Amino acid sequence: TDPIAFDRNFNAIYFFRHDPTMLHVEQLKQSSLPSEVLNFGEPTLTPCSSWHMIDTKPLFEQFLASLDDRGHREDEVLRICSNLTILKRRLQDEKKENTRALARERDMEELERRLGNARSACDADDGRRSGRLAGMARGDLKNLEDNIK
């Protein structure tokens, strides 16, 4: 697969149609081998690379803002990335993820509150409860403990 563009440091930018939820950047690193080793043997050693993903809207916007449109390569990256509407639609919104985390936290707090209520209902069993109600309270307590685990 060919990259869609290159930035000023010749890092390749990829957009894979089969994964329209992120942009991939291949950052080329210079080899850390001494020059004597580089000159010995094969003259063309490939530099190392690391891969980075841009998968959230804030990160994508930060990436676009970091591009300098005065350079030919980065102007092309900016133009191409600005036209990737499918990517813009599918990028995850960090606020949505934060909302999910807050909802999970609230659900856990609600379960813990209900667990405390169920424990106090079982502890308050001083003979005034029927066997059926006491059994239901113990069953609720067990179900809540299992849900929290």
Side-chain angles (χ1 to χ4, degrees):
T1 302
D2 293 330
I4 57 172
F6 293 92
D7 68 0
R8 67 177 157 256
N9 298 320
F10 293 98
N11 297 321
I13 290 118
Y14 292 89
F15 176 70
F16 300 114
R17 298 270 178 217
H18 68 274
D19 186 14
T21 60
M22 62 184 68
L23 199 61
H24 299 268
V25 179
E26 181 184 21
Q27 183 180 18
L28 296 177
K29 296 178 182 177
Q30 296 300 321
S31 179
S32 60
L33 294 174
S35 60
E36 298 84 32
V37 175
L38 290 175
N39 293 333
F40 183 73
E42 293 199 27
T44 56
L45 290 175
T46 326
C48 301
S49 66
S50 63
W51 287 85
H52 305 277
M53 294 175 289
I54 299 173
D55 59 351
T56 61
K57 286 182 183 178
L59 193 57
F60 182 69
E61 290 166 1
Q62 183 181 5
F63 171 70
L64 291 181
S66 73
L67 297 173
D68 186 4
D69 61 351
R70 293 178 293 177
H72 175 70
R73 287 187 302 272
E74 289 200 359
D75 182 46
E76 185 180 2
V77 171
L78 189 60
R79 183 180 49 77
I80 291 171
C81 288
S82 297
N83 292 330
L84 287 174
T85 54
I86 190 169
L87 175 68
K88 290 179 187 177
R89 275 190 248 136
R90 300 246 175 132
L91 282 173
Q92 295 176 4
D93 192 6
E94 271 189 345
K95 290 180 185 176
K96 186 187 299 183
E97 189 60 36
N98 289 340
T99 303
R100 288 184 192 145
L102 288 174
R104 282 192 301 268
E105 203 173 294
R106 282 194 304 265
D107 289 345
M108 187 57 101
E109 288 172 359
E110 175 66 18
L111 281 174
E112 288 173 357
R113 183 189 64 76
R114 288 175 51 203
L115 179 64
N117 290 343
R119 282 189 179 140
S120 65
C122 285
D123 292 343
D125 190 18
D126 55 3
R128 289 184 274 186
R129 285 183 175 257
S130 69
R132 182 178 60 86
L133 291 177
M136 286 174 52
R138 283 191 289 277
D140 288 343
L141 177 63
K142 184 178 180 332
N143 288 339
L144 288 170
E145 285 174 342
D146 290 342
N147 283 343
I148 288 180
K149 289 177 186 176

